[in-house]
Amino acid sequence: MSQASPVPEVPGAAHDGRGETQDERLDRNWNELLQELRVIQTGTQILTGFLLAAVFQSRFEDLDAFQRNMYLVLVVTSVLTTLVGLAPVSLHRVLFRKHAKGRIIRYTDYFVQATLAGVAITVAGIGLLIFDLVLGRAWGVAFAVFILVVVVVLWIVVPRAIRRSA
């Protein structure tokens, strides 16, 4: 246990009254980020696996040019999202025991935000592709827009409203 006095991890950051040392706060923040990463990495890997398997389905041959291009964009987006979601592992490995936990946490936060954006794009795109296949292009576009609106409300608007009211 560190004997340092409780201080915020970032100069100018508000102290939340937990009585933590800087090292304790960094450890807690890292553990919280790891929990988020565990959830999001599983989701991105499942989405990527689903997309990679879709090409081997018999109906794949029936896709028109737009649908094939959409599929390829989704594969690229999903694979990149998976890689960005795994980047904190590499970052931690490279900076482990280099007294860089604050930097690891800061950049991991950026990676998590980018991964969430990639998941939003991928999920909206999958919705577009599926609805396009089943109901037509207009339904596909409408459903993708609907998904993005839900993402903005649930992932941005609601958390900010809760933060303001706290």
Side-chain angles (χ1 to χ4, degrees):
M1 180 183 251
S2 176
Q3 297 299 323
S5 63
V7 293
E9 70 190 59
V10 178
H15 183 63
D16 63 7
R18 291 178 190 251
E20 299 171 314
T21 65
Q22 181 175 358
D23 288 342
E24 289 168 338
R25 177 172 275 188
L26 290 172
D27 288 343
R28 179 178 53 81
N29 287 340
W30 177 243
N31 286 329
E32 289 175 5
L33 277 169
L34 286 178
Q35 288 298 92
E36 292 175 20
L37 284 167
R38 285 183 184 105
V39 172
I40 202 163
Q41 284 174 349
T42 301
T44 59
Q45 291 167 0
I46 290 170
L47 285 173
T48 302
F50 161 76
L51 287 168
L52 294 176
V55 74
F56 299 106
Q57 301 303 311
S58 61
R59 189 155 180 211
F60 191 82
E61 295 300 319
D62 299 336
L63 299 180
D64 64 26
F66 172 82
Q67 293 164 340
R68 282 180 192 258
N69 290 336
M70 188 69 211
Y71 170 78
L72 292 173
V73 167
L74 288 171
V75 168
V76 169
T77 303
S78 185
V79 168
L80 290 175
T81 299
T82 299
L83 292 174
V84 171
L86 292 170
V89 175
S90 177
L91 180 66
H92 183 261
R93 283 291 89 214
V94 170
L95 296 176
F96 185 65
R97 295 188 180 177
K98 303 282 189 224
H99 306 286
K101 190 170 273 186
R103 283 184 286 163
I104 294 169
I105 290 168
R106 183 172 51 251
Y107 287 102
T108 296
D109 180 55
Y110 298 148
F111 287 131
V112 169
Q113 290 178 44
T115 302
L116 284 169
V119 166
I121 292 166
T122 303
V123 170
I126 290 171
L128 187 155
L129 184 59
I130 291 171
F131 271 65
D132 182 58
L133 280 166
V134 176
L135 298 174
R137 186 96 0 109
W139 280 100
V141 171
F143 190 65
V145 169
F146 172 74
I147 290 171
L148 291 174
V149 168
V150 170
V151 165
V152 167
V153 169
L154 293 178
W155 293 2
I156 298 171
V157 174
V158 170
R160 283 187 170 83
I162 292 169
R163 182 174 60 190
R164 276 194 305 271
S165 69

